[in-house]
Amino acid sequence: MEINLYLRTLRRGWWIILMTILIATNVSLITSYFTPPAYQTNSRFIVAPNAGSFTSSWDVVSSLDTLDRRSIINTYRELLASPSVYNQNLEIQKIDPAVLAKYDISVTVVPDTNILQLTVEGLDPELVVEIADAIGTQAVEYINKLYPVYIFTILDQPAIPVSPIRPQPIQNAGLALFFGAIIGLVLAFSKEQLQTSIEKLRERSIIDVPSSAYTRAYFERRLLEEVAQRPESDLSLGLINFRGLADVADILPQQIKDRIINTITQKLKNELRGRDIVGRWNDMQLAVLLPSTPISAVEATFKRLQSYLAETISVDAAGDMIVKPDPCIGVVGRAQLETGEELIDRCINAMEKASAFDEAAVVVLSKPFIFAKNENPVNSNQSG
């Protein structure tokens, strides 16, 4: 069930996913195109005991033991990255401070070693190397004077970068495609969830839950819209009064009454066309709207419906208690220039006439004639 829900969501929201992917990818490519390239270079330094400053091998061992403390290597790291140290270099002093401020200078310690890595990032590939060289030269000179016990030397010289580290259009586009697909999926499922919630609220407002028919307010609105939008089209309206349900309404629990009216509604829907509309007129009455159907074509239809709906309905599962719906039907066809309200009034009049007969009847009103029909020809009535 959940898989079908996911597939339905993907089938409905594929265009959202595709759109977010295209938008994310295009934004990534455009951003990469307008982003100035940044270059990076690295140089490495090593800290080791200065053998020339020791008088015995024990001093060397002691200095190595001291060097294992992280505080020593971290001190070197801070000194290498300190502006107060490398700003003393003459080459650095030649660089405009505003330009130098745009370059990212950082120092990291290679894990489990006494090696430091200096990283310089900026827009000019040659200038990043120049800055790295100047910082390294100044730091080596300054630190070796400050700590003669250890020797601080350059292990790897910085090299001119061949390609920028960013932007990387292909990599960025791939990431944008991935995240765009995720965002698209989230939006598609959110849209499906929101639409489902709206549809449930809409159904709750137009569907009479106990009977599963449309509410009277919605039914009347559809009727008035049909009359207004198709003034020349045929239209028939029927109201069904279940006298048998009214007789037992006071003694049956509401749950049973709801189940009975739901059963009748389903039977009625099964006998009608897909475009016909069934509404709940009141507790014991249903309404049927037949668009594009002339009154001459519905008399036989409603006589058949009357016979079908008159069948007994079991109240309990065992079938020990039954209810006879006793449907009485009033049917009208819209006359020329007749309004929706007038059509409803005539249909109510027809239903009342049908309910006045002793036996279940179908009364068809077509201006200026009134026809009263039921299943027993002896009880048929006609008046003009």
Side-chain angles (χ1 to χ4, degrees):
M1 184 65 179
E2 292 184 356
I3 295 178
N4 293 334
L5 177 62
Y6 296 150
L7 293 177
R8 184 182 66 182
T9 301
L10 292 177
R11 188 168 58 251
R12 291 182 178 179
W14 65 267
W15 61 273
I16 299 177
I17 301 173
L18 179 61
M19 183 178 297
T20 55
I21 289 175
L22 292 176
I23 292 175
T25 304
N26 288 332
V27 169
S28 172
L29 292 175
I30 293 173
T31 302
S32 298
Y33 180 80
F34 286 101
T35 300
Y39 297 87
Q40 182 186 88
T41 189
N42 299 310
S43 60
R44 290 191 172 193
F45 303 82
I46 186 170
V47 182
N50 187 358
S53 63
F54 301 127
T55 58
S56 65
S57 59
W58 173 253
D59 292 337
V60 176
V61 174
S62 178
S63 65
L64 288 173
D65 182 65
T66 304
L67 190 58
D68 283 339
R69 301 175 183 174
R70 290 296 91 188
S71 60
I72 300 298
I73 197 68
N74 285 332
T75 300
Y76 276 81
R77 180 176 63 85
E78 293 297 327
L79 289 173
L80 181 58
S82 175
S84 61
V85 174
Y86 62 71
N87 280 339
Q88 300 177 22
N89 185 274
L90 295 178
E91 297 299 326
I92 292 290
Q93 293 176 1
K94 294 178 182 179
I95 302 174
D96 187 351
V99 175
L100 184 62
K102 297 179 181 180
Y103 284 73
D104 186 20
I105 301 170
S106 61
V107 178
T108 57
V109 179
V110 179
D112 301 323
T113 69
N114 294 323
I115 298 175
L116 302 175
Q117 178 172 289
L118 172 67
T119 301
V120 180
E121 294 182 10
L123 302 180
D124 189 337
E126 295 182 356
L127 188 55
V128 293
V129 175
E130 182 180 340
I131 293 174
D133 276 333
I135 292 176
T137 301
Q138 182 63 32
V140 167
E141 180 182 351
Y142 179 86
I143 295 174
N144 284 333
K145 289 180 180 180
L146 188 64
Y147 295 105
V149 177
Y150 299 101
I151 184 169
F152 183 67
T153 58
I154 298 176
L155 185 61
D156 297 317
Q157 294 286 351
I160 297 178
V162 177
S163 59
I165 59 170
R166 60 179 181 273
Q168 297 180 346
I170 297 178
Q171 180 179 349
N172 293 342
L175 291 174
L177 189 148
F178 174 74
F179 287 107
I182 293 178
I183 295 173
L185 285 171
V186 172
L187 292 177
F189 278 95
S190 299
K191 174 181 176 294
E192 184 71 15
Q193 186 66 32
L194 179 61
Q195 184 174 353
T196 301
S197 300
I198 293 175
E199 288 178 354
K200 288 182 178 179
L201 291 174
R202 180 177 177 274
E203 288 180 0
R204 190 176 300 175
S205 64
I206 67 174
I207 298 295
D208 178 71
V209 177
S211 66
S212 75
Y214 288 115
T215 62
R216 177 169 177 171
Y218 179 76
F219 184 89
E220 289 185 349
R221 185 166 73 248
R222 286 291 303 271
L223 171 62
L224 296 177
E225 289 175 356
E226 194 74 24
V227 172
Q229 295 174 3
R230 298 176 179 84
E232 303 299 328
S233 177
D234 291 318
L235 178 69
S236 296
L237 174 65
L239 289 179
I240 309 173
N241 179 35
F242 296 96
R243 292 186 303 189
L245 300 185
D247 293 338
V248 297
D250 296 334
I251 61 176
L252 291 178
Q254 185 63 41
Q255 184 178 3
I256 293 179
K257 290 190 291 185
D258 291 341
R259 187 168 69 242
I260 292 174
I261 196 67
N262 184 272
T263 301
I264 293 175
T265 303
Q266 295 304 322
K267 292 173 65 175
L268 184 59
K269 288 181 178 180
N270 292 335
E271 294 296 313
L272 296 172
R273 302 169 301 178
R275 60 181 178 178
D276 297 335
I277 302 171
V278 178
R280 187 163 187 183
W281 198 249
N282 60 30
D283 288 344
M284 303 303 164
Q285 297 175 1
L286 294 177
V288 181
L289 177 64
L290 294 90
S292 304
T293 306
I295 188 65
S296 58
V298 300
E299 181 177 354
T301 299
F302 276 99
K303 288 179 65 177
R304 175 174 53 83
L305 289 175
Q306 193 273 341
S307 177
Y308 185 54
L309 297 177
E311 296 176 355
T312 58
I313 299 176
S314 298
V315 174
D316 55 353
D320 297 332
M321 183 181 299
I322 60 174
V323 171
K324 294 183 178 181
D326 192 18
C328 301
I329 305 176
V331 185
V332 295
R334 183 179 61 176
Q336 189 177 10
L337 302 179
E338 187 176 28
T339 65
E341 291 80 0
E342 292 172 343
L343 185 67
I344 293 174
D345 290 339
R346 284 203 303 120
C347 195
I348 293 174
N349 182 29
M351 182 187 64
E352 291 175 348
K353 290 181 180 296
S355 301
F357 288 101
D358 293 336
E359 297 185 14
V362 177
V363 173
V364 180
L365 292 185
S366 179
K367 283 186 176 181
F369 301 105
I370 299 176
F371 299 94
K373 304 282 186 179
N374 65 6
E375 293 302 312
N376 187 352
V378 176
N379 293 324
S380 296
N381 298 277
Q382 178 175 340
S383 60

